[in-house]
Every structure is written in structure tokens, then in C-alpha cells.
Amino acid sequence: MNSSSALDKIVIIGGGFAGLFTGINLIEKGFDKVIVFEEHKTIGEPRHCAGLVSEKALKMFNLYEDDFVINTVSRARFFSPAGIDFEIEGEKAIVIDRVLFDRFLAEKFESLGGRIVYKRVDRPCFINDTVKGVYLDGDEYCEADLVVDCEGVHSGCRILPMTGLSPPETLLHATQFDIENAFVDDVSHVELHFGREVAPGFFLWLIPLDEKNVRIGVASSDIYKRPPDLLWKFMKHGIRRDMFTIANVKYRFGGLIVASGPIGKTYTSGFLAVGDVAGQVKPTTGGGIFTGGICSIAAAQAIAWAHDYGEYSEKTLSKYEMLWRHILGREFKYMLLARKFLLKMRDHEIDELFKAIRDSGICDRVGRKGDMDLQFRTFMEFIRSPRVTLKILKIMLRRQ
Ligand SMILES: Cc1cc2nc3c(=O)[nH]c(=O)nc-3n(C[C@H](O)[C@H](O)[C@H](O)COP(=O)(O)OP(=O)(O)OC[C@H]3O[C@@H](n4cnc5c(N)ncnc54)[C@H](O)[C@@H]3O)c2cc1C
């Protein structure tokens, strides 16, 4: 980047993962006037994330520290509605404390010279159809050469539509309980439970924190099946009820999971959208740390390139979308297809598919060759088994 970069002022809306990581990447690229506006009084709260992320993703982002790691897991067990299960033993995933993690990001950002201002952005400011800054609550104005929107989805995606871009289509309500005094038989595996009674339109997850503490969460697409009710029902009557006989809920939290994949367009003149607000979340699992991280890096790269070109126009910023779609476009496409397929499946079909997977003997290979972050690869490993492929085809034909 050329030296006049010192003059460019970048405003970031939101001090969550995407905002802080984009800020860090921008400073590392040479931008020295990067301001993050955060509407809450502290970073990392309110908490909503389960905190499960692949170790390799955090190491790749250069963000790995032991301090915020709660547990390490390497196996995932998948349960069908009738309790038919299969297990994948694969790469290491870590459970992180999201509050500590976000605060670590904030400290890193500030230690590099970034500024965090605890104020709420009210709206963007336009000059000749180009975003040229933001108005804060109280009509205070902050000018900028470029605005990066990382507002997430929990505040209602307010700013994004004001620029003419469309927010994510599908948001699922999720609830999580941190449970103490649970009987955790194995701290190295997470569980995913599927079915219309357990988790309509998504899945229920169990993440061990240690031998006695477990994080249980669920998202639901059925407005009549509320996530907290689903969790209580699972704990009292589900197939893992023995875990919870003397357990109690220590902490309860939740949030909105983006389940519709990326929005159609993530840039306009003087403005980029990154992270949850741009729908850059895995539609299969709701995980947004890996995908949001890749897009934060792409955003910083595209901004540096646009700076060198001499303008933050719609044309130069389109490079951002080219970059992240180049890396993740196929992933999002196939994860969305997988989600749509799962949504159409009846419970007995999920049972049939899980049985086919378990009996196919493919799980070992999927564990070795699959990838938690790049799920297309995992999907391709599954369909190497003729038994699994045949089952998928049969279910698809029934759905025609
Ligand atoms: C229940 C649940 C479980 C999850 N579990 C996982 C998981 O295990 N692994 C994983 O990878 N991902 C998980 N995710 C997804 C992950 O939490 C998100 O993808 C990630 O945190 C998104 O980061 P973000 O910065 O885009 O948005 P956010 O983290 O929502 O940050 C947005 C920030 O912007 C601020 N803000 C909003 N509007 C304004 C404004 N107008 N002015 C100033 N500030 C503003 C907000 O206060 C907030 O701090 C989960 C999500 C949910 C809901």
C-alpha cells in the first residue's frame, strides 16, 4: 500500500468478532485511523455464541491463545430422531470463552493503534450517493473515507438496508443453557441431535465444557416450538436425559442464527458489509467465526487495493465480493443445498440416512479427509459411499 494511507479514515460499525478482526487486519495493512463504534458499554457482551471453532482456523487467523480455550474436542456424534447415531473422529475443535476471546481481540486492536468508541451508530451519511461517514446517536457526525458495517444481526440489521443492500433472509431463534452438575461421560465429543420434535429446522447441540459442565443449545424454525421449551423437554425426556438428573442451569443465553447464507451483494460506494450482517455464516451449522474471519481478511485486502487505486467506489470495492466468493462461494452454495435437503426430510428419512451412513463404514474416512470449515470436502467424502449416495437419491426422488 502506498504511504498516503495515513490519511484514510475507516469507520467500523460494531465491536464483535467481524468488526474487531477487520480492524486488526486493516491496521496490519497500514491503515492508521481505524475507529470501531460499539453500541454496548463492554466488548463481548451480551454473549450469544456457543464458541465452537476449529483450532486450525484460529491458528490460521493468528488469534490462538490458551487463555480463552475452555475445552478441546475431536469427535462429533450425530443422532437421528430415533436415536440412530454415527460418529466422526476428525480435526481438533476448541470451545472458547467468547467474552474473553472478544476482549482479547479488542486489546489486540487497541494495542496496534485502533480506537474503540462506545457509541451507537444511528445511520450512514451520504455525499453524492457515496457513504462518507456515520451519524451517531445524538446526531454527532463522524466522517470517514470508508465505512465497514459489522453490526451483526442482533440489533435488527438496521444500518445495512439504509445503504440499499438487503439483510439476511432467514434468522433462527436459538437458546443455550450452560449446565452444571451434569454427568458428562466423555469431554472430547460434541453431540448433534436432529428431528422435528428435538429441533425443527435445525439441530440441538451438546458441547462438554468439563466433566460436570455442558453447554446445550438449540435453534428452531417453528414458531410454536420455542428453543427454551425444546431444551427443557430434551433434558427431561430426551435420549440423553440421564446426563441431567441432578443438573441445574447456571447461565442462559441465546441469539439469532443466520441460516440463509450470504446476502446477494456486500458492497456499495464507500461501504462494505462483513460478518453476520452479510450472512457470512455456515448455513448448515450457524458457525460464523471461520467464514466471518475469511471475509474480514478479504475486506482488508480489498480496501487496501481500492486505496492504492485511489477511490473507494462501487467498482473498486467489488473486489471484496470477488475475493470472498472466490474462497467461500462454493462452500456456501453446497452448505445451503445441504440445509435445504435436511429441511425437506421427514424424521424417518433422517433415521434411514443415518443408518446408511453408520453401516457404510465411511465415517473413519470422513474423519480423516473431511474438514469442519470447508464442508464441501466432507460432503464429497460422504457421497463416496454408494450406500449413502443411493439413500440420498432415494430421498430426493421421493421429494420430487
Ligand atoms: C446461539 C449461537 C451460537 C453460535 N455458535 C457458534 C459457534 O459455536 N461457532 C461459530 O463459529 N459461530 C457461532 N455462532 C455465530 C457467531 O457467534 C457469529 O457468526 C459471530 O459472532 C458474528 O460476529 P459479528 O461481528 O458479525 O456480529 P456480532 O458478534 O453480533 O457483533 C456485532 C456487534 O455490533 C454491535 N452493533 C450493532 N449495531 C450497532 C450500531 N448501530 N452501532 C454500534 N454498534 C453496533 C453489536 O453490539 C455487536 O457488538 C453462534 C451464533 C449464535 C446466535
Side-chain angles (χ1 to χ4, degrees):
M1 206 167 80
N2 67 45
S3 58
S4 65
S5 65
L7 299 174
D8 282 355
K9 184 169 169 186
I10 315 281
V11 157
I12 297 176
I13 307 169
F17 170 67
L20 293 167
F21 192 45
T22 304
I24 290 169
N25 281 297
L26 281 169
I27 294 176
E28 284 174 350
K29 288 234 171 278
F31 290 89
D32 63 354
K33 286 181 196 150
V34 186
I35 303 182
V36 166
F37 285 107
E38 169 52 50
E39 65 181 351
H40 290 100
K41 298 228 171 326
T42 47
I43 294 291
E45 290 174 279
R47 187 151 70 101
H48 49 76
C49 178
L52 190 68
V53 60
S54 73
E55 190 183 71
K56 78 169 181 322
L58 283 203
K59 286 190 169 161
M60 181 176 82
F61 296 154
N62 204 12
L63 295 178
Y64 185 91
E65 295 259 319
D66 285 332
D67 298 358
F68 45 71
V69 177
I70 304 173
N71 190 21
T72 303
V73 293
S74 55
R75 286 177 296 136
R77 255 177 104 180
F78 297 75
F79 288 84
S80 79
I84 299 165
D85 68 315
F86 65 89
E87 184 174 296
I88 308 281
E89 176 155 14
E91 62 181 301
K92 258 198 210 169
I94 49 177
V95 189
I96 56 171
D97 182 321
R98 269 305 297 270
V99 179
L100 293 184
F101 177 63
D102 284 18
R103 288 187 186 156
F104 155 79
L105 291 172
E107 274 166 31
K108 184 165 174 155
F109 174 66
E110 287 184 313
S111 71
L112 290 168
R115 255 183 81 205
I116 302 177
V117 177
Y118 292 90
K119 287 189 177 168
R120 180 169 171 272
V121 172
D122 181 58
R123 60 191 190 280
C125 162
F126 295 90
I127 297 175
N128 297 332
D129 290 336
T130 294
V131 178
K132 276 291 183 190
V134 291
Y135 286 102
L136 310 174
D137 276 356
D139 252 10
E140 197 183 331
Y141 171 62
C142 177
E143 70 172 333
D145 295 291
L146 179 84
V147 173
V148 187
D149 185 6
C150 301
E151 66 183 303
V153 291
H154 294 95
S155 304
C157 305
R158 273 183 347 97
I159 310 293
L160 187 86
M162 297 182 203
T163 65
L165 302 180
S166 305
E169 278 166 23
T170 312
L171 301 177
L172 302 180
H173 284 274
T175 298
Q176 299 187 91
F177 294 162
D178 274 1
I179 304 277
E180 58 186 358
N181 296 320
F183 294 109
V184 181
D185 43 21
D186 183 350
V187 292
S188 68
H189 84 257
V190 293
E191 290 184 10
L192 289 82
H193 295 257
F194 293 81
R196 283 176 197 238
E197 289 307 311
V198 178
F202 208 67
F203 61 87
L204 179 147
W205 58 94
L206 279 171
I207 303 176
L209 305 177
D210 60 33
E211 289 81 5
K212 285 188 176 166
N213 290 278
V214 66
R215 180 165 294 158
I216 174 171
V218 71
S220 165
S221 62
D222 184 339
I223 49 164
Y224 298 107
K225 291 184 176 158
R226 294 172 54 246
D229 301 338
L230 291 168
L231 286 184
W232 286 117
K233 189 172 157 198
F234 181 82
M235 286 162 62
K236 280 190 184 145
H237 309 292
I239 58 169
R240 304 290 275 139
R241 59 187 174 278
D242 289 352
M243 270 177 100
F244 303 106
T245 46
I246 58 159
N248 53 290
V249 177
K250 194 167 77 174
Y251 191 78
R252 180 182 163 146
F253 56 117
L256 291 168
I257 287 182
V258 183
S260 45
I263 58 175
K265 189 174 169 219
T266 53
Y267 63 93
T268 184
S269 192
F271 185 91
L272 294 182
V274 184
D276 276 22
V277 72
Q280 291 157 337
V281 175
K282 297 173 196 167
T284 43
T285 64
I289 299 176
F290 170 73
T291 43
I294 295 286
C295 296
S296 298
I297 295 171
Q301 222 163 312
I303 293 167
W305 185 82
H307 166 85
D308 286 351
Y309 194 79
E311 58 185 43
Y312 296 113
S313 61
E314 178 145 359
K315 189 173 157 220
T316 56
L317 292 176
S318 66
K319 177 108 175 168
Y320 162 59
E321 189 148 323
M322 268 170 56
L323 278 175
W324 72 255
R325 283 200 193 275
H326 177 70
I327 305 167
L328 294 174
R330 185 181 68 173
E331 287 299 319
F332 281 126
K333 191 172 151 199
Y334 282 94
M335 282 190 271
L336 264 174
L337 277 176
R339 175 166 164 72
K340 282 183 185 156
F341 177 63
L342 196 72
L343 273 178
K344 285 186 178 168
M345 279 167 81
R346 303 210 171 99
D347 277 4
H348 72 91
E349 290 169 332
I350 303 179
D351 290 330
E352 286 170 25
L353 180 62
F354 278 31
K355 188 170 180 313
I357 292 173
R358 190 187 61 189
D359 296 346
S360 66
I362 194 82
C363 292
D364 277 354
R365 191 186 160 91
V366 173
R368 270 183 286 114
K369 304 265 179 177
D371 192 306
M372 173 177 168
D373 293 318
L374 299 171
Q375 293 176 2
F376 175 70
R377 206 178 289 168
T378 309
F379 173 74
M380 292 310 280
E381 289 305 326
F382 271 120
I383 62 169
R384 272 173 193 275
S385 156
R387 195 189 286 233
V388 174
T389 310
L390 203 64
K391 185 54 71 188
I392 291 174
L393 285 175
K394 270 188 185 166
I395 295 170
M396 281 168 91
L397 284 173
R398 263 187 241 154
R399 295 275 78 89
Q400 292 305 307

